[in-house]
Every structure is written in C-alpha cells, then in structure tokens.
Amino acid sequence: MRKLSKRSTAVIAGVAVVAIGGGAAWAANGWNIGGSGSADAEAATITDLTATSTLAGKIYPGVTTKVNSGVINLNDFPVQLTASSAAVTSFDGTADPTCKSALAANPGIFTTTFPDSPTIPAKATSAVPIESTVTIGDLPQACAGKAIKINYTFQGVSKA
C-alpha cells in the first residue's frame, strides 16, 4: 500500500469538507412545502328566548319592586342579555277598557332593569331565574284593583 503525501492528504481532506459541508447546507435549506384543506360546518339556528316574570308585590304609582323572571334558552349556545331593560309591547288581562287604554297610551309606566347583563346557559330548558327590578311610574287610577298582564321584549347576544 502506498503512503499518502502531505499534499494528497490535504486535498482529500479538503474534498471531504466540501462534500460534507455541501450536504449539510442542502439539508438545512430543504424545500418548503405548503398544504391546504377544507372543512364542512353547519351554523346553529337561532331560537328566541322565552321568559315569564312575577312581580314580588302589588304595584302602585312610584313603587320599585323586585321581578323574578324565568328565562328559557333552547339555543346551542349561551346568550347574554345585552339590553339593560325590557321594552313593554302591550297590556292584556284587564276587562277595564279605561285601564287598558291608559296603559297602552304610556308603556313607559313600567321600567325594568336587568343588572349585570346575565348569561342564560345553552339548552336551558328549565327556567333560569333572573332577579331584576321594575319601577312603576304614573299608573292610572282606573287600574286600581285590576289584574294586568304585561307583554315585553328583551335583547341578548350569543356567547362563546
């Protein structure tokens, strides 16, 4: 076997360094490969909330009393009440036409607030209690002693 000279050894070592360095550079600088995909989804339907409320006591001009409301949310997502109040839409339940027309002329007689914007859980099929207050304004005297049914609306927003 023949002995390698210093020069030959240096040439072989240089070639090896270039080969190894080039391979390492190729491995570090590989090709970038992207990708893509798709997914199918179905948006949930929106179902209006329903509520029933009971006032804690009898009403008369100027009184502020507690209101206990049971709210049902049949949606697939929780709903947070966003409006701080309910809007009276109509009055029923009284046979007295003077009382009914006086209430209809001034739905602002009843002012309701929902403190802390409560959240109603998803699929809450039993009523979730919410405590709020109602302030009675200038209740017509023709309504004294009468049963009054108040129809109202309220607003909410879906929560994650």
Side-chain angles (χ1 to χ4, degrees), residues 62-122:
V63 70
T64 296
T65 187
K66 291 203 181 292
V67 178
N68 293 310
S69 297
V71 180
I72 297 174
N73 175 14
L74 299 179
N75 291 293
D76 294 323
F77 46 86
V79 176
Q80 181 178 28
L81 299 184
T82 54
S84 61
S85 63
V88 174
T89 57
S90 64
F91 298 94
D92 293 322
T94 180
D96 186 304
T98 307
C99 173
K100 192 170 184 174
S101 64
L103 291 171
N106 188 6
I109 291 171
F110 294 82
T111 307
T112 307
T113 60
F114 298 115
D116 303 324
S117 299
T119 297
I120 313 304

Side-chain angles (χ1 to χ4, degrees), residues 17-58:
V17 167
V18 169
I20 292 170
W26 175 81
N29 295 320
W31 293 342
N32 292 323
I33 302 171
S36 65
S38 65
D40 295 326
E42 184 178 337
T45 57
I46 299 171
T47 304
D48 286 342
L49 304 176
T50 56
T52 56
S53 300
T54 307
L55 277 64
K58 304 232 181 215

